[in-house]
PDB file of all heavy atoms in Angstrom:
ATOM      1  N   TRP A   1      91.738  71.254 102.478  1.00 93.00           N
ATOM      2  CA  TRP A   1      90.978  71.725 101.285  1.00 93.00           C
ATOM      3  C   TRP A   1      90.674  73.236 101.455  1.00 93.00           C
ATOM      4  O   TRP A   1      90.769  74.035 100.524  1.00 93.00           O
ATOM      5  CB  TRP A   1      89.719  70.977 101.186  1.00 93.00           C
ATOM      6  CG  TRP A   1      88.825  71.439 100.031  1.00 93.00           C
ATOM      7  CD1 TRP A   1      87.696  72.151 100.232  1.00 93.00           C
ATOM      8  CD2 TRP A   1      89.076  71.315  98.647  1.00 93.00           C
ATOM      9  NE1 TRP A   1      87.215  72.482  98.920  1.00 93.00           N
ATOM     10  CE2 TRP A   1      88.092  71.928  98.011  1.00 93.00           C
ATOM     11  CE3 TRP A   1      90.146  70.653  97.942  1.00 93.00           C
ATOM     12  CZ2 TRP A   1      87.931  72.016  96.595  1.00 93.00           C
ATOM     13  CZ3 TRP A   1      90.026  70.749  96.555  1.00 93.00           C
ATOM     14  CH2 TRP A   1      89.012  71.382  95.909  1.00 93.00           C
ATOM     15  N   LYS A   2      90.220  73.676 102.743  1.00 93.00           N
ATOM     16  CA  LYS A   2      89.896  74.985 102.910  1.00 93.00           C
ATOM     17  C   LYS A   2      91.168  75.930 102.721  1.00 93.00           C
ATOM     18  O   LYS A   2      90.986  77.037 102.147  1.00 93.00           O
ATOM     19  CB  LYS A   2      89.417  75.212 104.396  1.00 93.00           C
ATOM     20  CG  LYS A   2      89.060  76.634 104.674  1.00 93.00           C
ATOM     21  CD  LYS A   2      88.916  76.968 106.222  1.00 93.00           C
ATOM     22  CE  LYS A   2      90.303  76.992 106.831  1.00 93.00           C
ATOM     23  NZ  LYS A   2      90.913  78.337 106.868  1.00 93.00           N
ATOM     24  N   GLU A   3      92.259  75.573 103.203  1.00 88.00           N
ATOM     25  CA  GLU A   3      93.467  76.426 103.046  1.00 88.00           C
ATOM     26  C   GLU A   3      93.892  76.572 101.575  1.00 88.00           C
ATOM     27  O   GLU A   3      94.333  77.609 101.202  1.00 88.00           O
ATOM     28  CB  GLU A   3      94.576  75.765 103.916  1.00 88.00           C
ATOM     29  CG  GLU A   3      94.458  75.994 105.465  1.00 88.00           C
ATOM     30  CD  GLU A   3      94.282  77.410 105.855  1.00 88.00           C
ATOM     31  OE1 GLU A   3      94.941  78.224 105.307  1.00 88.00           O
ATOM     32  OE2 GLU A   3      93.554  77.575 106.863  1.00 88.00           O
ATOM     33  N   PHE A   4      93.846  75.450 100.883  1.00 87.00           N
ATOM     34  CA  PHE A   4      94.142  75.526  99.456  1.00 87.00           C
ATOM     35  C   PHE A   4      93.207  76.378  98.632  1.00 87.00           C
ATOM     36  O   PHE A   4      93.560  77.097  97.740  1.00 87.00           O
ATOM     37  CB  PHE A   4      94.414  74.179  98.832  1.00 87.00           C
ATOM     38  CG  PHE A   4      95.766  73.593  99.091  1.00 87.00           C
ATOM     39  CD1 PHE A   4      95.924  72.537 100.006  1.00 87.00           C
ATOM     40  CD2 PHE A   4      96.830  74.114  98.478  1.00 87.00           C
ATOM     41  CE1 PHE A   4      97.226  72.061 100.177  1.00 87.00           C
ATOM     42  CE2 PHE A   4      98.145  73.663  98.719  1.00 87.00           C
ATOM     43  CZ  PHE A   4      98.267  72.634  99.575  1.00 87.00           C
ATOM     44  N   SER A   5      91.878  76.233  98.968  1.00 90.00           N
ATOM     45  CA  SER A   5      90.884  77.065  98.236  1.00 90.00           C
ATOM     46  C   SER A   5      91.099  78.517  98.616  1.00 90.00           C
ATOM     47  O   SER A   5      90.949  79.408  97.771  1.00 90.00           O
ATOM     48  CB  SER A   5      89.477  76.532  98.612  1.00 90.00           C
ATOM     49  OG  SER A   5      89.188  76.774  99.929  1.00 90.00           O
ATOM     50  N   GLN A   6      91.431  78.804  99.870  1.00 89.00           N
ATOM     51  CA  GLN A   6      91.694  80.248 100.291  1.00 89.00           C
ATOM     52  C   GLN A   6      92.946  80.814  99.569  1.00 89.00           C
ATOM     53  O   GLN A   6      92.949  81.845  99.102  1.00 89.00           O
ATOM     54  CB  GLN A   6      91.802  80.285 101.793  1.00 89.00           C
ATOM     55  CG  GLN A   6      92.005  81.711 102.313  1.00 89.00           C
ATOM     56  CD  GLN A   6      90.719  82.508 102.065  1.00 89.00           C
ATOM     57  OE1 GLN A   6      89.652  82.020 102.043  1.00 89.00           O
ATOM     58  NE2 GLN A   6      90.841  83.796 101.879  1.00 89.00           N
ATOM     59  N   LEU A   7      93.958  79.949  99.462  1.00 85.00           N
ATOM     60  CA  LEU A   7      95.172  80.368  98.745  1.00 85.00           C
ATOM     61  C   LEU A   7      94.881  80.646  97.218  1.00 85.00           C
ATOM     62  O   LEU A   7      95.444  81.548  96.676  1.00 85.00           O
ATOM     63  CB  LEU A   7      96.265  79.250  98.831  1.00 85.00           C
ATOM     64  CG  LEU A   7      97.583  79.504  98.160  1.00 85.00           C
ATOM     65  CD1 LEU A   7      98.312  80.600  98.813  1.00 85.00           C
ATOM     66  CD2 LEU A   7      98.372  78.253  98.167  1.00 85.00           C
ATOM     67  N   GLY A   8      94.062  79.879  96.626  1.00 85.00           N
ATOM     68  CA  GLY A   8      93.656  80.158  95.269  1.00 85.00           C
ATOM     69  C   GLY A   8      92.898  81.459  95.010  1.00 85.00           C
ATOM     70  O   GLY A   8      92.877  82.026  94.009  1.00 85.00           O
ATOM     71  N   ARG A   9      92.217  81.938  96.061  1.00 89.00           N
ATOM     72  CA  ARG A   9      91.481  83.215  96.012  1.00 89.00           C
ATOM     73  C   ARG A   9      92.429  84.439  96.245  1.00 89.00           C
ATOM     74  O   ARG A   9      92.045  85.547  95.831  1.00 89.00           O
ATOM     75  CB  ARG A   9      90.347  83.182  96.977  1.00 89.00           C
ATOM     76  CG  ARG A   9      89.168  82.377  96.612  1.00 89.00           C
ATOM     77  CD  ARG A   9      88.025  82.535  97.551  1.00 89.00           C
ATOM     78  NE  ARG A   9      87.442  81.190  97.792  1.00 89.00           N
ATOM     79  CZ  ARG A   9      87.317  80.661  98.984  1.00 89.00           C
ATOM     80  NH1 ARG A   9      87.620  81.351 100.063  1.00 89.00           N
ATOM     81  NH2 ARG A   9      86.815  79.489  99.061  1.00 89.00           N
ATOM     82  N   ASP A  10      93.499  84.244  96.874  1.00 89.00           N
ATOM     83  CA  ASP A  10      94.388  85.348  97.230  1.00 89.00           C
ATOM     84  C   ASP A  10      95.499  85.415  96.197  1.00 89.00           C
ATOM     85  O   ASP A  10      96.600  84.792  96.347  1.00 89.00           O
ATOM     86  CB  ASP A  10      94.951  85.127  98.628  1.00 89.00           C
ATOM     87  CG  ASP A  10      95.582  86.390  99.213  1.00 89.00           C
ATOM     88  OD1 ASP A  10      95.635  87.401  98.513  1.00 89.00           O
ATOM     89  OD2 ASP A  10      96.041  86.270 100.360  1.00 89.00           O
ATOM     90  N   VAL A  11      95.317  86.197  95.112  1.00 89.00           N
ATOM     91  CA  VAL A  11      96.219  86.213  94.021  1.00 89.00           C
ATOM     92  C   VAL A  11      97.593  86.708  94.425  1.00 89.00           C
ATOM     93  O   VAL A  11      98.637  86.046  94.012  1.00 89.00           O
ATOM     94  CB  VAL A  11      95.664  87.000  92.887  1.00 89.00           C
ATOM     95  CG1 VAL A  11      96.620  87.178  91.749  1.00 89.00           C
ATOM     96  CG2 VAL A  11      94.320  86.452  92.338  1.00 89.00           C
ATOM     97  N   PRO A  12      97.794  87.796  95.165  1.00 91.00           N
ATOM     98  CA  PRO A  12      99.253  88.168  95.526  1.00 91.00           C
ATOM     99  C   PRO A  12     100.022  87.115  96.252  1.00 91.00           C
ATOM    100  O   PRO A  12     101.203  86.892  95.908  1.00 91.00           O
ATOM    101  CB  PRO A  12      98.981  89.480  96.345  1.00 91.00           C
ATOM    102  CG  PRO A  12      97.685  89.967  95.989  1.00 91.00           C
ATOM    103  CD  PRO A  12      96.878  88.812  95.613  1.00 91.00           C
ATOM    104  N   ILE A  13      99.348  86.442  97.164  1.00 89.00           N
ATOM    105  CA  ILE A  13     100.047  85.349  97.915  1.00 89.00           C
ATOM    106  C   ILE A  13     100.358  84.197  97.024  1.00 89.00           C
ATOM    107  O   ILE A  13     101.421  83.625  97.016  1.00 89.00           O
ATOM    108  CB  ILE A  13      99.169  84.903  99.176  1.00 89.00           C
ATOM    109  CG1 ILE A  13      98.997  86.088 100.102  1.00 89.00           C
ATOM    110  CG2 ILE A  13      99.805  83.635  99.778  1.00 89.00           C
ATOM    111  CD1 ILE A  13     100.255  86.367 100.815  1.00 89.00           C
ATOM    112  N   LEU A  14      99.454  83.874  96.074  1.00 88.00           N
ATOM    113  CA  LEU A  14      99.616  82.789  95.185  1.00 88.00           C
ATOM    114  C   LEU A  14     100.835  83.112  94.256  1.00 88.00           C
ATOM    115  O   LEU A  14     101.708  82.239  94.031  1.00 88.00           O
ATOM    116  CB  LEU A  14      98.373  82.608  94.319  1.00 88.00           C
ATOM    117  CG  LEU A  14      98.416  81.364  93.324  1.00 88.00           C
ATOM    118  CD1 LEU A  14      98.578  80.107  94.193  1.00 88.00           C
ATOM    119  CD2 LEU A  14      97.111  81.358  92.590  1.00 88.00           C
ATOM    120  N   ILE A  15     100.927  84.331  93.740  1.00 89.00           N
ATOM    121  CA  ILE A  15     102.102  84.741  92.943  1.00 89.00           C
ATOM    122  C   ILE A  15     103.352  84.715  93.789  1.00 89.00           C
ATOM    123  O   ILE A  15     104.429  84.094  93.189  1.00 89.00           O
ATOM    124  CB  ILE A  15     101.927  86.078  92.385  1.00 89.00           C
ATOM    125  CG1 ILE A  15     100.718  86.130  91.338  1.00 89.00           C
ATOM    126  CG2 ILE A  15     103.255  86.687  91.792  1.00 89.00           C
ATOM    127  CD1 ILE A  15     100.299  87.506  90.907  1.00 89.00           C
ATOM    128  N   PHE A  16     103.387  85.071  95.005  1.00 88.00           N
ATOM    129  CA  PHE A  16     104.510  84.941  95.825  1.00 88.00           C
ATOM    130  C   PHE A  16     104.993  83.422  96.040  1.00 88.00           C
ATOM    131  O   PHE A  16     106.155  83.215  95.981  1.00 88.00           O
ATOM    132  CB  PHE A  16     104.347  85.608  97.183  1.00 88.00           C
ATOM    133  CG  PHE A  16     105.473  85.428  98.156  1.00 88.00           C
ATOM    134  CD1 PHE A  16     106.664  86.197  97.884  1.00 88.00           C
ATOM    135  CD2 PHE A  16     105.374  84.563  99.154  1.00 88.00           C
ATOM    136  CE1 PHE A  16     107.736  86.009  98.816  1.00 88.00           C
ATOM    137  CE2 PHE A  16     106.494  84.390 100.055  1.00 88.00           C
ATOM    138  CZ  PHE A  16     107.629  85.097  99.795  1.00 88.00           C
ATOM    139  N   VAL A  17     103.986  82.596  96.304  1.00 87.00           N
ATOM    140  CA  VAL A  17     104.315  81.238  96.551  1.00 87.00           C
ATOM    141  C   VAL A  17     104.914  80.602  95.226  1.00 87.00           C
ATOM    142  O   VAL A  17     105.861  79.872  95.313  1.00 87.00           O
ATOM    143  CB  VAL A  17     103.066  80.433  96.983  1.00 87.00           C
ATOM    144  CG1 VAL A  17     103.304  78.968  96.920  1.00 87.00           C
ATOM    145  CG2 VAL A  17     102.688  80.910  98.406  1.00 87.00           C
ATOM    146  N   ILE A  18     104.267  80.906  94.098  1.00 87.00           N
ATOM    147  CA  ILE A  18     104.849  80.336  92.783  1.00 87.00           C
ATOM    148  C   ILE A  18     106.281  80.896  92.633  1.00 87.00           C
ATOM    149  O   ILE A  18     107.188  80.070  92.214  1.00 87.00           O
ATOM    150  CB  ILE A  18     103.920  80.708  91.673  1.00 87.00           C
ATOM    151  CG1 ILE A  18     102.644  79.949  91.722  1.00 87.00           C
ATOM    152  CG2 ILE A  18     104.582  80.489  90.325  1.00 87.00           C
ATOM    153  CD1 ILE A  18     101.551  80.389  90.812  1.00 87.00           C
ATOM    154  N   TRP A  19     106.464  82.152  92.855  1.00 85.00           N
ATOM    155  CA  TRP A  19     107.864  82.738  92.748  1.00 85.00           C
ATOM    156  C   TRP A  19     108.773  81.989  93.693  1.00 85.00           C
ATOM    157  O   TRP A  19     109.899  81.676  93.337  1.00 85.00           O
ATOM    158  CB  TRP A  19     107.876  84.214  93.013  1.00 85.00           C
ATOM    159  CG  TRP A  19     109.274  84.725  93.106  1.00 85.00           C
ATOM    160  CD1 TRP A  19     109.847  85.175  94.308  1.00 85.00           C
ATOM    161  CD2 TRP A  19     110.310  84.781  92.144  1.00 85.00           C
ATOM    162  NE1 TRP A  19     111.081  85.516  94.079  1.00 85.00           N
ATOM    163  CE2 TRP A  19     111.409  85.348  92.862  1.00 85.00           C
ATOM    164  CE3 TRP A  19     110.375  84.519  90.793  1.00 85.00           C
ATOM    165  CZ2 TRP A  19     112.664  85.541  92.148  1.00 85.00           C
ATOM    166  CZ3 TRP A  19     111.594  84.781  90.076  1.00 85.00           C
ATOM    167  CH2 TRP A  19     112.680  85.195  90.801  1.00 85.00           C
ATOM    168  N   ALA A  20     108.408  81.859  94.983  1.00 85.00           N
ATOM    169  CA  ALA A  20     109.304  81.317  95.943  1.00 85.00           C
ATOM    170  C   ALA A  20     109.708  79.871  95.614  1.00 85.00           C
ATOM    171  O   ALA A  20     110.803  79.458  95.870  1.00 85.00           O
ATOM    172  CB  ALA A  20     108.666  81.319  97.295  1.00 85.00           C
ATOM    173  N   PHE A  21     108.831  79.064  95.038  1.00 85.00           N
ATOM    174  CA  PHE A  21     109.142  77.756  94.773  1.00 85.00           C
ATOM    175  C   PHE A  21     109.630  77.382  93.333  1.00 85.00           C
ATOM    176  O   PHE A  21     110.010  76.334  93.035  1.00 85.00           O
ATOM    177  CB  PHE A  21     107.981  76.780  95.119  1.00 85.00           C
ATOM    178  CG  PHE A  21     107.739  76.724  96.506  1.00 85.00           C
ATOM    179  CD1 PHE A  21     106.662  77.380  97.127  1.00 85.00           C
ATOM    180  CD2 PHE A  21     108.526  76.033  97.351  1.00 85.00           C
ATOM    181  CE1 PHE A  21     106.395  77.285  98.476  1.00 85.00           C
ATOM    182  CE2 PHE A  21     108.368  75.915  98.710  1.00 85.00           C
ATOM    183  CZ  PHE A  21     107.303  76.593  99.304  1.00 85.00           C
ATOM    184  N   THR A  22     109.525  78.451  92.445  1.00 87.00           N
ATOM    185  CA  THR A  22     110.042  78.096  91.138  1.00 87.00           C
ATOM    186  C   THR A  22     111.079  79.224  90.666  1.00 87.00           C
ATOM    187  O   THR A  22     112.125  78.850  90.316  1.00 87.00           O
ATOM    188  CB  THR A  22     108.884  78.138  90.072  1.00 87.00           C
ATOM    189  OG1 THR A  22     108.124  79.379  90.151  1.00 87.00           O
ATOM    190  CG2 THR A  22     107.880  77.043  90.290  1.00 87.00           C
ATOM    191  N   GLY A  23     110.656  80.468  90.633  1.00 81.00           N
ATOM    192  CA  GLY A  23     111.550  81.543  90.211  1.00 81.00           C
ATOM    193  C   GLY A  23     112.764  81.679  91.041  1.00 81.00           C
ATOM    194  O   GLY A  23     113.895  81.768  90.454  1.00 81.00           O
ATOM    195  N   ALA A  24     112.687  81.629  92.364  1.00 79.00           N
ATOM    196  CA  ALA A  24     113.837  81.783  93.125  1.00 79.00           C
ATOM    197  C   ALA A  24     114.814  80.595  93.034  1.00 79.00           C
ATOM    198  O   ALA A  24     116.056  80.725  92.979  1.00 79.00           O
ATOM    199  CB  ALA A  24     113.427  82.003  94.608  1.00 79.00           C
ATOM    200  N   VAL A  25     114.256  79.377  92.888  1.00 82.00           N
ATOM    201  CA  VAL A  25     114.995  78.209  92.701  1.00 82.00           C
ATOM    202  C   VAL A  25     115.782  78.247  91.394  1.00 82.00           C
ATOM    203  O   VAL A  25     116.974  77.921  91.224  1.00 82.00           O
ATOM    204  CB  VAL A  25     114.229  76.917  92.950  1.00 82.00           C
ATOM    205  CG1 VAL A  25     114.972  75.714  92.510  1.00 82.00           C
ATOM    206  CG2 VAL A  25     113.680  76.850  94.252  1.00 82.00           C
ATOM    207  N   TYR A  26     115.049  78.642  90.352  1.00 82.00           N
ATOM    208  CA  TYR A  26     115.649  78.777  89.022  1.00 82.00           C
ATOM    209  C   TYR A  26     116.744  79.709  88.929  1.00 82.00           C
ATOM    210  O   TYR A  26     117.913  79.503  88.413  1.00 82.00           O
ATOM    211  CB  TYR A  26     114.548  79.128  88.032  1.00 82.00           C
ATOM    212  CG  TYR A  26     115.081  79.240  86.541  1.00 82.00           C
ATOM    213  CD1 TYR A  26     115.217  78.118  85.775  1.00 82.00           C
ATOM    214  CD2 TYR A  26     115.324  80.517  86.049  1.00 82.00           C
ATOM    215  CE1 TYR A  26     115.819  78.234  84.494  1.00 82.00           C
ATOM    216  CE2 TYR A  26     115.854  80.662  84.773  1.00 82.00           C
ATOM    217  CZ  TYR A  26     116.045  79.481  84.005  1.00 82.00           C
ATOM    218  OH  TYR A  26     116.558  79.576  82.722  1.00 82.00           O
ATOM    219  N   THR A  27     116.539  81.027  89.428  1.00 78.00           N
ATOM    220  CA  THR A  27     117.585  81.989  89.376  1.00 78.00           C
ATOM    221  C   THR A  27     118.748  81.584  90.288  1.00 78.00           C
ATOM    222  O   THR A  27     119.877  81.935  89.920  1.00 78.00           O
ATOM    223  CB  THR A  27     117.068  83.338  89.858  1.00 78.00           C
ATOM    224  OG1 THR A  27     116.509  83.293  91.145  1.00 78.00           O
ATOM    225  CG2 THR A  27     115.997  83.911  88.834  1.00 78.00           C
ATOM    226  N   GLY A  28     118.534  80.959  91.402  1.00 76.00           N
ATOM    227  CA  GLY A  28     119.647  80.554  92.219  1.00 76.00           C
ATOM    228  C   GLY A  28     120.422  79.432  91.585  1.00 76.00           C
ATOM    229  O   GLY A  28     121.662  79.360  91.732  1.00 76.00           O
ATOM    230  N   GLY A  29     119.720  78.539  90.929  1.00 76.00           N
ATOM    231  CA  GLY A  29     120.416  77.410  90.324  1.00 76.00           C
ATOM    232  C   GLY A  29     121.150  77.769  89.059  1.00 76.00           C
ATOM    233  O   GLY A  29     122.166  77.069  88.746  1.00 76.00           O
ATOM    234  N   HIS A  30     120.790  78.752  88.366  1.00 75.00           N
ATOM    235  CA  HIS A  30     121.393  79.116  87.162  1.00 75.00           C
ATOM    236  C   HIS A  30     122.389  80.271  87.351  1.00 75.00           C
ATOM    237  O   HIS A  30     123.013  80.758  86.428  1.00 75.00           O
ATOM    238  CB  HIS A  30     120.511  79.584  85.999  1.00 75.00           C
ATOM    239  CG  HIS A  30     119.688  78.346  85.525  1.00 75.00           C
ATOM    240  ND1 HIS A  30     120.316  77.552  84.574  1.00 75.00           N
ATOM    241  CD2 HIS A  30     118.524  77.846  85.722  1.00 75.00           C
ATOM    242  CE1 HIS A  30     119.502  76.532  84.190  1.00 75.00           C
ATOM    243  NE2 HIS A  30     118.385  76.771  84.947  1.00 75.00           N
ATOM    244  N   GLY A  31     122.570  80.662  88.532  1.00 73.00           N
ATOM    245  CA  GLY A  31     123.490  81.802  88.927  1.00 73.00           C
ATOM    246  C   GLY A  31     123.215  83.082  88.411  1.00 73.00           C
ATOM    247  O   GLY A  31     124.045  83.898  88.037  1.00 73.00           O
ATOM    248  N   ILE A  32     121.940  83.399  88.229  1.00 70.00           N
ATOM    249  CA  ILE A  32     121.449  84.653  87.729  1.00 70.00           C
ATOM    250  C   ILE A  32     121.527  85.695  88.950  1.00 70.00           C
ATOM    251  O   ILE A  32     120.961  85.390  89.981  1.00 70.00           O
ATOM    252  CB  ILE A  32     120.053  84.653  87.217  1.00 70.00           C
ATOM    253  CG1 ILE A  32     120.031  83.701  85.996  1.00 70.00           C
ATOM    254  CG2 ILE A  32     119.549  85.997  86.817  1.00 70.00           C
ATOM    255  CD1 ILE A  32     118.660  83.444  85.491  1.00 70.00           C
ATOM    256  N   ALA A  33     122.256  86.749  88.715  1.00 71.00           N
ATOM    257  CA  ALA A  33     122.513  87.813  89.813  1.00 71.00           C
ATOM    258  C   ALA A  33     121.153  88.533  89.999  1.00 71.00           C
ATOM    259  O   ALA A  33     120.631  89.037  89.041  1.00 71.00           O
ATOM    260  CB  ALA A  33     123.644  88.649  89.497  1.00 71.00           C
ATOM    261  N   THR A  34     120.848  88.680  91.242  1.00 73.00           N
ATOM    262  CA  THR A  34     119.632  89.590  91.516  1.00 73.00           C
ATOM    263  C   THR A  34     120.073  90.809  92.269  1.00 73.00           C
ATOM    264  O   THR A  34     119.164  91.620  92.700  1.00 73.00           O
ATOM    265  CB  THR A  34     118.654  88.810  92.333  1.00 73.00           C
ATOM    266  OG1 THR A  34     119.279  88.267  93.500  1.00 73.00           O
ATOM    267  CG2 THR A  34     118.021  87.619  91.566  1.00 73.00           C
TER     268      THR A  34
END
């Protein structure tokens, strides 16, 4: 609980985690060149 609440307060890390688990998977799966 403490770790997840701390993650919610750290906006840059939260954005990175969301990108790593959604954006990177989406661009890799659809063959979008980066």
Side-chain angles (χ1 to χ4, degrees):
W1 176 256
K2 179 198 76 86
E3 291 298 324
F4 276 109
S5 65
Q6 186 66 31
L7 180 67
R9 286 186 220 123
D10 195 359
V11 176
I13 295 292
L14 186 61
I15 291 171
F16 175 75
V17 167
I18 290 171
W19 165 253
F21 289 107
T22 57
V25 171
Y26 179 80
T27 57
H30 286 282
I32 298 172
T34 56

